[in-house]
Amino acid sequence: MTHAAPVSPVDRAGLRQRVDKALTGFLANQRGWLTGVDEALTPVAEAVEEFVLRGGKRLRPAFAYWGYRGAGGVDSDQVVATLAALEFVQASALIHDDLMDRSDTRRGEPAVHRRFASRHRAAGWTGDAEGFGDAAAILLGDLCLVWSDEMLHGAGLDARTLARARPVFDEMRTEVTVGQYLDVLTQATGDTSLERAGKVARYKSAKYTVERPLLLGAALAGATTEVEAAYSAYGLPLGEAFQLRDDVLGVFGDPAQTGKPAGDDLREGKRTYLVAAAVAGTDDAGRTMVEQHLGDPELDEAGVARLREVIIASGALARTEERIATLTETALAALATVDLETEARQALVDLAIAATRRAD
């Protein structure tokens, strides 16, 4: 069980289509409620629909679903719809993240704050268009977080089952929020230590991408403590590897695949493991270049290329790739320590490979 299957683990059991169907139905109901309040809320409904339904890897519901199945849970559309609520947590985090980073695009389209700023300008409204866009993004991100609760509780599972999962869901959302703050703080303080970069990656992305979704599925299935421990031992290193791949793509990724401009993480001043490793491994001239240009919103392609050269020459890119491989091997080894349903075990192996070898 070392090679990804021809069929994506997100598509197995018709999962992607079932998640999308649940999200589409939920959003249709929410659109009706919003427009019933005021037709002026139609653009809000449209923006959330497009953001949630357009693109997205559906990795978090996949980890949760196969975690549920691996722990002996019985498949049902109600379970899939419940786990689809994770996509609203993801949407909230991304909308807010784009605003904090002043990102122009997401998945090749204008970020939500840019979209609503453009709407303000096109309509010729009074006041500051950028301020309006920022306010709209804050509110839409908050709305998605509220809707994650609503979808979790309204998908049809009984209250006793949901009560087992609720603490995991709550802690996950707290973790990603404080992780976002630590990311902002790290950019403000200029901390480029590997320890800080690792903690930010763990709380901002790693835990809520893999470990918590797995434990959410495990809780719904009434899993044993042995299974929960194995899921954490698999999920934590794999989540970190996922974030490290994201960091590499943020500097070296193809914009046609990532949907964001090349080198955007450098312009945003992200103090990632990749950057921390470069600072630790380069010479004084390299460190000076990083200190002078990291976080420069006007950094041009030539500047991005120079910083890339520092990262490569320092050995940071190779070190990060090695760490991704080691963390993935550690995660896969953890699955061998516990008895899981066969199809789910293979799906989790395939998810690990897909999450760490992706190009988008």
Side-chain angles (χ1 to χ4, degrees), residues 45-130:
E46 291 173 345
V48 176
E49 286 167 358
E50 290 180 24
F51 195 93
V52 172
L53 298 177
R54 184 192 68 233
K57 302 175 187 67
R58 307 300 187 234
L59 281 175
R60 290 160 187 83
F63 278 116
Y65 174 81
W66 290 113
Y68 170 82
R69 289 283 304 277
V74 178
D75 189 17
S76 73
D77 288 340
Q78 289 79 14
V79 166
V80 171
T82 299
L83 299 177
L86 290 164
E87 287 297 302
F88 284 111
V89 180
Q90 167 74 340
S92 174
L94 294 181
I95 291 169
H96 285 162
D97 196 46
D98 286 344
L99 171 60
M100 289 183 285
D101 292 339
R102 310 310 305 177
S103 297
D104 292 327
T105 61
R106 169 66 62 179
R107 299 170 186 156
E109 298 292 335
V112 168
H113 61 285
R114 300 297 189 209
R115 173 182 179 136
F116 279 85
S118 295
R119 181 175 180 80
H120 183 287
R121 282 191 291 270
W125 293 334
T126 61
D128 177 38
E130 299 302 323

XYZ file of all heavy atoms in Angstrom, residues 45-130:
667
model
N -25.123 35.523 -1.226
C -25.405 34.116 -1.522
C -24.566 33.637 -2.691
O -23.973 32.549 -2.646
C -26.897 33.930 -1.812
N -24.493 34.443 -3.735
C -23.734 34.063 -4.925
C -22.248 33.896 -4.615
O -21.602 32.951 -5.085
C -23.925 35.113 -6.020
C -25.333 35.141 -6.600
C -25.539 36.300 -7.557
O -24.702 37.243 -7.568
O -26.547 36.285 -8.305
N -21.712 34.818 -3.833
C -20.284 34.773 -3.519
C -19.924 33.523 -2.722
O -18.923 32.859 -3.004
C -19.870 36.029 -2.749
N -20.743 33.187 -1.729
C -20.464 31.994 -0.931
C -20.638 30.727 -1.775
O -19.835 29.793 -1.700
C -21.348 31.939 0.330
C -21.103 30.640 1.103
C -21.079 33.138 1.229
N -21.697 30.715 -2.590
C -21.908 29.554 -3.465
C -20.710 29.323 -4.378
O -20.214 28.195 -4.494
C -23.167 29.766 -4.305
C -24.467 29.621 -3.540
C -25.670 30.134 -4.328
O -25.479 30.634 -5.463
O -26.783 30.046 -3.802
N -20.262 30.377 -5.008
C -19.141 30.232 -5.938
C -17.863 29.833 -5.211
O -17.083 29.016 -5.699
C -18.940 31.527 -6.724
C -20.061 31.796 -7.723
C -19.846 33.088 -8.499
O -18.682 33.531 -8.608
O -20.836 33.665 -8.970
N -17.651 30.403 -4.045
C -16.439 30.106 -3.298
C -16.421 28.653 -2.832
O -15.403 27.963 -2.932
C -16.315 31.034 -2.090
C -14.938 31.049 -1.478
C -14.004 31.991 -1.871
C -14.576 30.122 -0.518
C -12.727 32.007 -1.326
C -13.307 30.126 0.038
C -12.371 31.070 -0.366
N -17.536 28.185 -2.313
C -17.599 26.836 -1.740
C -17.715 25.768 -2.817
O -17.096 24.703 -2.719
C -18.779 26.727 -0.747
C -18.987 25.290 -0.286
C -18.529 27.631 0.460
N -18.482 26.045 -3.863
C -18.764 25.017 -4.870
C -17.774 25.022 -6.025
O -17.668 24.025 -6.737
C -20.190 25.204 -5.414
C -21.308 25.058 -4.384
C -22.661 25.327 -5.035
C -21.289 23.691 -3.726
N -17.048 26.135 -6.219
C -16.096 26.221 -7.325
C -14.722 25.758 -6.847
O -14.070 26.412 -6.051
C -15.991 27.661 -7.824
C -15.073 27.834 -9.051
C -14.786 29.299 -9.324
N -13.973 29.879 -8.272
C -14.287 30.981 -7.602
N -15.410 31.619 -7.847
N -13.485 31.458 -6.661
N -14.275 24.606 -7.341
C -12.963 24.114 -6.942
C -12.986 23.570 -5.524
O -14.028 23.219 -4.977
N -11.832 23.502 -4.921
C -11.731 22.913 -3.587
C -11.414 21.434 -3.689
O -12.002 20.719 -4.498
N -10.495 20.977 -2.872
C -10.025 19.592 -2.970
C -10.921 18.601 -2.242
O -10.848 17.396 -2.472
C -8.600 19.499 -2.420
C -7.607 20.414 -3.127
C -6.241 20.357 -2.437
C -5.286 21.392 -3.017
N -5.709 22.779 -2.720
N -11.737 19.064 -1.306
C -12.612 18.208 -0.494
C -11.798 17.220 0.347
O -12.281 16.142 0.686
C -13.632 17.465 -1.353
C -14.474 18.333 -2.289
C -15.298 19.360 -1.548
N -16.212 20.070 -2.425
C -16.275 21.401 -2.521
N -15.450 22.160 -1.813
N -17.156 21.970 -3.322
N -10.575 17.599 0.688
C -9.726 16.708 1.467
C -10.243 16.518 2.889
O -10.186 15.409 3.432
C -8.292 17.245 1.514
C -7.419 17.015 0.291
C -6.075 17.722 0.467
C -7.209 15.531 0.047
N -10.723 17.574 3.496
C -11.143 17.473 4.893
C -12.348 16.551 5.061
O -12.333 15.686 5.943
C -11.379 18.875 5.469
C -10.065 19.626 5.621
C -10.220 21.137 5.707
N -8.906 21.779 5.696
C -8.219 22.050 4.584
N -8.745 21.779 3.396
N -7.028 22.602 4.649
N -13.406 16.692 4.257
C -14.482 15.689 4.356
C -13.991 14.284 4.028
O -14.499 13.304 4.606
C -15.501 16.175 3.317
C -15.260 17.629 3.195
C -13.777 17.799 3.355
N -13.009 14.163 3.133
C -12.494 12.832 2.772
C -11.773 12.193 3.956
O -11.974 11.009 4.261
C -11.571 12.928 1.567
N -10.909 12.948 4.624
C -10.233 12.401 5.800
C -11.259 12.023 6.878
O -11.139 10.985 7.532
C -9.229 13.409 6.359
C -7.907 13.418 5.646
C -7.487 14.541 4.945
C -7.089 12.306 5.671
C -6.263 14.552 4.281
C -5.861 12.308 5.013
C -5.446 13.427 4.308
N -12.257 12.880 7.060
C -13.275 12.594 8.073
C -14.089 11.352 7.706
O -14.355 10.491 8.564
C -14.197 13.803 8.226
N -14.478 11.252 6.443
C -15.301 10.117 6.001
C -14.551 8.800 6.134
O -15.073 7.822 6.680
C -15.737 10.336 4.552
C -16.468 9.159 3.947
C -17.820 8.949 4.195
C -15.793 8.251 3.126
C -18.486 7.863 3.649
C -16.457 7.169 2.568
C -17.802 6.975 2.833
O -18.456 5.895 2.284
N -13.305 8.767 5.635
C -12.562 7.507 5.701
C -12.095 7.212 7.119
O -11.907 6.047 7.492
C -11.411 7.524 4.698
C -11.924 7.463 3.291
C -11.850 8.425 2.330
C -12.637 6.366 2.687
N -12.470 8.018 1.177
C -12.957 6.754 1.363
C -13.030 5.103 3.137
C -13.656 5.921 0.489
C -13.730 4.276 2.267
C -14.031 4.680 0.966
N -11.953 8.245 7.946
C -11.715 8.008 9.365
C -12.924 7.365 10.017
O -12.802 6.452 10.843
N -14.091 7.836 9.630
C -15.355 7.258 10.116
C -15.492 5.815 9.667
O -15.769 4.910 10.476
C -16.505 8.114 9.590
C -17.893 7.546 9.782
C -18.559 7.681 10.997
C -18.549 6.904 8.729
C -19.849 7.176 11.165
C -19.837 6.408 8.886
C -20.476 6.538 10.108
O -21.747 6.040 10.271
N -15.281 5.576 8.396
C -15.404 4.218 7.867
C -14.346 3.286 8.469
O -14.617 2.124 8.764
C -15.265 4.243 6.341
C -16.444 4.866 5.592
C -17.632 3.919 5.503
N -17.234 2.655 4.882
C -17.150 2.446 3.557
N -17.443 3.451 2.724
N -16.795 1.276 3.072
N -13.133 3.801 8.631
C -12.074 2.982 9.197
C -12.370 2.536 10.608
O -11.940 1.454 11.050
N -13.107 3.342 11.342
C -13.476 3.022 12.721
C -14.739 2.182 12.801
O -15.271 1.962 13.896
C -13.665 4.310 13.511
N -15.227 1.716 11.656
C -16.394 0.839 11.651
C -17.707 1.539 11.411
O -18.771 0.914 11.530
N -17.667 2.816 11.061
C -18.908 3.545 10.810
C -19.603 3.075 9.550
O -18.959 2.695 8.570
N -20.924 3.083 9.578
C -21.747 2.646 8.449
C -22.063 3.843 7.559
O -22.515 4.890 8.032
C -23.060 1.994 8.952
C -23.931 1.586 7.770
C -22.745 0.795 9.830
N -21.828 3.686 6.269
C -22.029 4.773 5.312
C -23.485 5.224 5.273
O -24.414 4.402 5.367
C -21.599 4.300 3.919
C -21.576 5.432 2.899
O -21.570 6.606 3.314
O -21.544 5.131 1.698
N -23.665 6.536 5.121
C -25.003 7.091 4.905
C -24.853 8.495 4.357
O -23.828 9.155 4.566
C -25.817 7.139 6.210
O -25.350 8.169 7.066
N -25.878 8.959 3.653
C -25.854 10.321 3.126
C -25.882 11.343 4.253
O -25.332 12.450 4.110
C -27.032 10.544 2.178
C -26.862 9.810 0.860
O -25.712 9.456 0.516
O -27.884 9.582 0.159
N -26.492 10.983 5.380
C -26.536 11.896 6.524
C -25.125 12.135 7.084
O -24.770 13.254 7.440
C -27.449 11.348 7.622
C -28.929 11.385 7.295
C -29.351 10.247 6.363
O -28.600 9.280 6.158
N -30.554 10.353 5.811
N -24.328 11.082 7.140
C -22.949 11.223 7.612
C -22.149 12.100 6.654
O -21.417 13.007 7.074
C -22.276 9.841 7.768
C -20.764 9.985 7.926
C -22.861 9.104 8.952
N -22.283 11.851 5.355
C -21.555 12.640 4.362
C -21.947 14.115 4.460
O -21.081 15.001 4.426
C -21.813 12.101 2.939
C -21.244 13.049 1.888
C -21.211 10.711 2.785
N -23.228 14.394 4.603
C -23.686 15.781 4.712
C -23.158 16.432 5.992
O -22.802 17.620 5.990
C -25.208 15.837 4.676
N -23.104 15.671 7.064
C -22.566 16.198 8.322
C -21.103 16.582 8.156
O -20.667 17.666 8.565
C -22.709 15.151 9.445
O -24.090 14.844 9.630
C -22.132 15.669 10.752
N -20.337 15.716 7.517
C -18.905 15.968 7.343
C -18.633 17.052 6.308
O -17.571 17.688 6.336
C -18.202 14.667 6.956
C -18.317 13.541 7.996
C -17.651 12.277 7.489
C -17.715 13.975 9.328
N -19.589 17.280 5.413
C -19.433 18.362 4.436
C -19.371 19.719 5.113
O -18.881 20.697 4.523
C -20.589 18.332 3.427
N -19.831 19.812 6.365
C -19.750 21.064 7.120
C -18.314 21.552 7.250
O -18.065 22.756 7.433
C -20.358 20.882 8.507
N -17.359 20.638 7.140
C -15.947 21.025 7.202
C -15.570 21.990 6.086
O -14.645 22.796 6.235
C -15.063 19.779 7.129
C -15.085 18.872 8.368
C -14.500 17.509 8.032
C -14.333 19.530 9.513
N -16.283 21.923 4.964
C -15.974 22.825 3.858
C -16.301 24.277 4.197
O -15.693 25.200 3.650
C -16.718 22.390 2.594
C -16.148 21.135 1.956
C -14.721 21.325 1.476
O -14.471 22.223 0.652
O -13.835 20.568 1.947
N -17.245 24.490 5.102
C -17.544 25.861 5.524
C -16.487 26.381 6.489
O -16.186 27.584 6.502
C -18.943 25.947 6.140
C -20.048 25.914 5.116
C -20.888 24.816 5.018
C -20.213 26.965 4.238
C -21.888 24.768 4.056
C -21.217 26.934 3.274
C -22.052 25.833 3.183
N -15.916 25.513 7.306
C -14.787 25.924 8.144
C -13.622 26.334 7.249
O -12.970 27.351 7.471
C -14.361 24.785 9.084
C -13.186 25.228 9.955
C -15.523 24.338 9.968
N -13.365 25.520 6.229
C -12.302 25.819 5.276
C -12.559 27.133 4.542
O -11.658 27.975 4.389
C -12.172 24.669 4.272
C -11.332 24.943 3.040
C -9.835 24.982 3.315
O -9.423 25.161 4.448
N -9.048 24.817 2.269
N -13.788 27.342 4.097
C -14.123 28.578 3.387
C -13.911 29.794 4.282
O -13.350 30.810 3.852
C -15.575 28.529 2.901
N -14.341 29.708 5.525
C -14.156 30.807 6.468
C -12.681 31.131 6.637
O -12.274 32.303 6.567
C -14.762 30.426 7.829
O -14.479 31.415 8.799
N -11.857 30.092 6.825
C -10.423 30.308 7.023
C -9.780 30.950 5.799
O -8.953 31.864 5.917
C -9.741 28.985 7.360
N -10.150 30.488 4.609
C -9.540 31.013 3.388
C -9.962 32.447 3.103
O -9.143 33.274 2.683
C -9.892 30.125 2.199
C -9.311 28.705 2.212
C -9.732 27.959 0.949
C -7.798 28.730 2.335
N -11.238 32.757 3.303
C -11.725 34.119 3.058
C -11.001 35.096 3.975
O -10.538 36.164 3.548
C -13.251 34.197 3.249
C -13.968 33.428 2.125
C -13.721 35.654 3.274
C -15.446 33.222 2.364
N -10.896 34.740 5.255
C -10.198 35.604 6.202
C -8.698 35.656 5.915
O -8.072 36.716 6.031
C -10.447 35.107 7.632
C -11.815 35.420 8.136
N -12.385 34.772 9.215
C -12.754 36.318 7.721
C -13.595 35.259 9.446
N -13.838 36.197 8.550
N -8.123 34.520 5.545
C -6.686 34.458 5.254
C -6.339 35.362 4.076
O -5.343 36.096 4.111
C -6.290 33.015 4.956
C -4.784 32.798 5.021
O -4.163 33.279 5.980
O -4.241 32.149 4.115
N -7.149 35.318 3.025
C -6.902 36.165 1.858
C -6.966 37.643 2.223
O -6.194 38.460 1.710
C -7.922 35.863 0.754
C -7.645 34.545 0.047
O -6.524 34.021 0.186
O -8.556 34.045 -0.637
N -7.887 37.986 3.102
C -8.007 39.379 3.529
C -6.770 39.790 4.325
O -6.175 40.848 4.067
C -9.269 39.559 4.373
C -9.429 40.916 5.071
C -9.472 42.047 4.063
C -10.675 40.916 5.939
N -6.372 38.975 5.287
C -5.221 39.316 6.123
C -3.937 39.413 5.307
O -3.066 40.237 5.588
C -5.073 38.294 7.251
C -6.163 38.400 8.306
S -5.954 37.259 9.693
C -6.448 35.705 8.954
N -3.836 38.562 4.284
C -2.638 38.565 3.430
C -2.728 39.563 2.288
O -1.767 39.708 1.529
C -2.411 37.163 2.848
C -2.017 36.154 3.902
O -1.537 36.570 4.976
O -2.184 34.939 3.654
N -3.866 40.226 2.155
C -4.114 41.145 1.041
C -3.926 40.457 -0.308
O -3.432 41.040 -1.279
C -3.196 42.381 1.113
C -3.151 43.100 2.437
C -4.502 43.424 3.012
N -5.360 44.198 2.103
C -6.611 44.543 2.385
N -7.174 44.157 3.530
N -7.316 45.232 1.530
N -4.345 39.195 -0.369
C -4.226 38.425 -1.612
C -5.232 38.927 -2.632
O -6.375 39.259 -2.290
C -4.467 36.937 -1.346
O -3.495 36.418 -0.470
N -4.830 38.946 -3.884
C -5.716 39.394 -4.959
C -6.606 38.272 -5.469
O -7.732 38.531 -5.922
C -4.898 39.953 -6.126
C -4.201 41.254 -5.769
O -4.769 42.035 -4.972
O -3.085 41.477 -6.265
N -6.091 37.047 -5.460
C -6.831 35.946 -6.081
C -6.912 34.724 -5.171
O -6.120 34.562 -4.249
C -6.170 35.515 -7.399
O -4.831 35.067 -7.135
C -6.141 36.663 -8.392
N -7.868 33.886 -5.492
C -8.033 32.572 -4.865
C -8.594 31.656 -5.944
O -9.623 31.938 -6.530
C -8.978 32.655 -3.661
C -9.435 31.342 -3.086
C -8.324 30.540 -2.451
N -7.690 31.223 -1.316
C -6.706 30.695 -0.591
N -6.238 29.487 -0.900
N -6.166 31.388 0.404
N -7.879 30.571 -6.210
C -8.286 29.606 -7.254
C -8.481 30.296 -8.612
O -9.384 29.973 -9.371
C -9.564 28.881 -6.842
C -9.428 28.064 -5.554
C -10.758 27.560 -5.055
N -10.631 26.900 -3.760
C -11.618 26.773 -2.871
N -12.810 27.282 -3.156
N -11.414 26.155 -1.726
N -7.623 31.278 -8.880
C -7.663 31.948 -10.171
C -8.734 33.012 -10.315
O -8.853 33.629 -11.379
N -9.501 33.254 -9.264
C -10.562 34.267 -9.291
C -10.284 35.324 -8.230
O -9.501 35.092 -7.308
C -11.926 33.611 -9.026
C -12.351 32.573 -10.058
C -12.662 33.174 -11.411
O -13.016 34.368 -11.452
O -12.536 32.460 -12.421
N -10.916 36.510 -8.336
C -10.695 37.534 -7.315
C -11.046 37.025 -5.921
O -12.062 36.352 -5.730
C -11.632 38.671 -7.741
C -11.817 38.473 -9.212
C -11.809 36.983 -9.424
N -10.180 37.335 -4.952
C -10.485 37.016 -3.562
C -11.766 37.747 -3.156
O -12.146 38.750 -3.776
C -9.322 37.426 -2.671
N -12.435 37.274 -2.117
C -13.740 37.826 -1.745
C -13.656 39.325 -1.449
O -14.530 40.094 -1.876
C -14.324 37.055 -0.541
C -15.527 37.798 0.042
C -14.737 35.651 -0.965
N -12.628 39.775 -0.739
C -12.545 41.208 -0.440
C -12.335 42.026 -1.703
O -12.857 43.140 -1.816
C -11.460 41.500 0.601
C -10.074 41.120 0.195
N -9.647 39.813 0.165
C -9.008 41.871 -0.198
C -8.381 39.778 -0.212
N -7.976 40.996 -0.446
N -11.606 41.472 -2.681
C -11.436 42.173 -3.955
C -12.743 42.179 -4.743
O -13.091 43.165 -5.405
C -10.341 41.499 -4.787
C -8.972 41.465 -4.137
C -8.421 42.852 -3.907
N -7.027 42.805 -3.483
C -6.446 43.707 -2.714
N -7.149 44.751 -2.265
N -5.181 43.595 -2.358
N -13.460 41.086 -4.692
C -14.732 40.973 -5.424
C -15.720 42.048 -4.963
O -16.359 42.716 -5.791
C -15.312 39.576 -5.189
C -16.704 39.359 -5.756
C -17.207 37.967 -5.426
N -18.552 37.732 -5.934
C -18.932 36.624 -6.550
N -18.075 35.643 -6.736
N -20.173 36.481 -6.976
N -15.838 42.230 -3.643
C -16.821 43.193 -3.150
C -16.317 44.635 -3.268
O -17.130 45.554 -3.410
C -17.230 42.834 -1.721
C -18.272 41.750 -1.675
C -17.907 40.421 -1.712
C -19.621 42.061 -1.648
C -18.859 39.409 -1.697
C -20.597 41.066 -1.635
C -20.211 39.732 -1.671
N -15.006 44.829 -3.239
C -14.481 46.166 -3.509
C -14.788 46.573 -4.953
O -15.181 47.722 -5.223
C -12.972 46.198 -3.257
N -14.649 45.630 -5.864
C -14.971 45.905 -7.272
C -16.448 46.199 -7.443
O -16.838 47.072 -8.240
C -14.575 44.711 -8.142
O -13.176 44.518 -8.129
N -17.274 45.488 -6.704
C -18.717 45.721 -6.776
C -19.055 47.144 -6.314
O -19.885 47.828 -6.918
C -19.451 44.686 -5.911
C -20.957 44.821 -5.936
C -21.651 43.696 -5.163
N -23.090 43.869 -5.206
C -23.853 43.518 -6.225
N -23.310 42.969 -7.285
N -25.154 43.721 -6.190
N -18.388 47.573 -5.240
C -18.594 48.925 -4.723
C -18.215 49.964 -5.779
O -18.971 50.908 -6.045
C -17.736 49.094 -3.461
C -17.891 50.402 -2.768
N -17.368 51.589 -3.266
C -18.491 50.730 -1.581
C -17.648 52.573 -2.439
N -18.321 52.078 -1.405
N -17.054 49.785 -6.392
C -16.600 50.746 -7.399
C -17.519 50.761 -8.614
O -17.858 51.821 -9.143
C -15.166 50.415 -7.826
C -14.108 50.860 -6.826
C -12.712 50.745 -7.424
N -12.350 49.354 -7.615
C -11.738 48.607 -6.701
N -11.417 49.134 -5.522
N -11.442 47.349 -6.948
N -17.931 49.578 -9.065
C -18.783 49.492 -10.251
C -20.137 50.159 -10.027
O -20.724 50.736 -10.958
C -18.980 48.025 -10.644
N -20.634 50.080 -8.795
C -21.940 50.672 -8.492
C -21.846 52.170 -8.205
O -22.887 52.850 -8.133
C -22.568 49.952 -7.295
N -20.620 52.666 -8.000
C -20.462 54.080 -7.703
C -20.969 54.465 -6.332
O -21.441 55.589 -6.119
N -20.877 53.532 -5.371
C -21.351 53.822 -4.020
C -20.417 54.800 -3.311
O -19.268 55.004 -3.727
C -21.456 52.525 -3.215
C -22.523 51.592 -3.723
C -23.651 51.913 -4.415
C -22.541 50.163 -3.586
N -24.383 50.793 -4.709
C -23.734 49.698 -4.217
C -21.686 49.229 -2.999
C -24.073 48.343 -4.264
C -22.029 47.879 -3.036
C -23.212 47.438 -3.662
N -20.907 55.374 -2.230
C -20.099 56.327 -1.467
C -19.152 55.584 -0.530
O -19.349 54.411 -0.209
C -21.003 57.255 -0.634
O -21.762 56.464 0.294
C -21.949 58.043 -1.526
N -18.130 56.297 -0.083
C -17.188 55.703 0.857
C -16.051 54.982 0.159
O -15.886 55.056 -1.068
N -15.280 54.267 0.959
C -14.067 53.598 0.498
C -14.382 52.202 -0.017
O -14.893 51.356 0.736
C -13.069 53.529 1.653
C -11.804 52.782 1.293
O -11.332 52.932 0.156
O -11.309 52.025 2.149
N -14.078 51.948 -1.288
C -14.363 50.645 -1.878
C -13.579 49.523 -1.209
O -14.113 48.438 -0.952
C -14.054 50.675 -3.383
N -12.304 49.775 -0.899
C -11.485 48.737 -0.268
C -11.998 48.430 1.138
O -12.016 47.267 1.561
C -10.016 49.179 -0.215
C -9.387 49.439 -1.582
C -9.451 48.220 -2.489
O -9.297 47.094 -1.998
O -9.672 48.409 -3.710
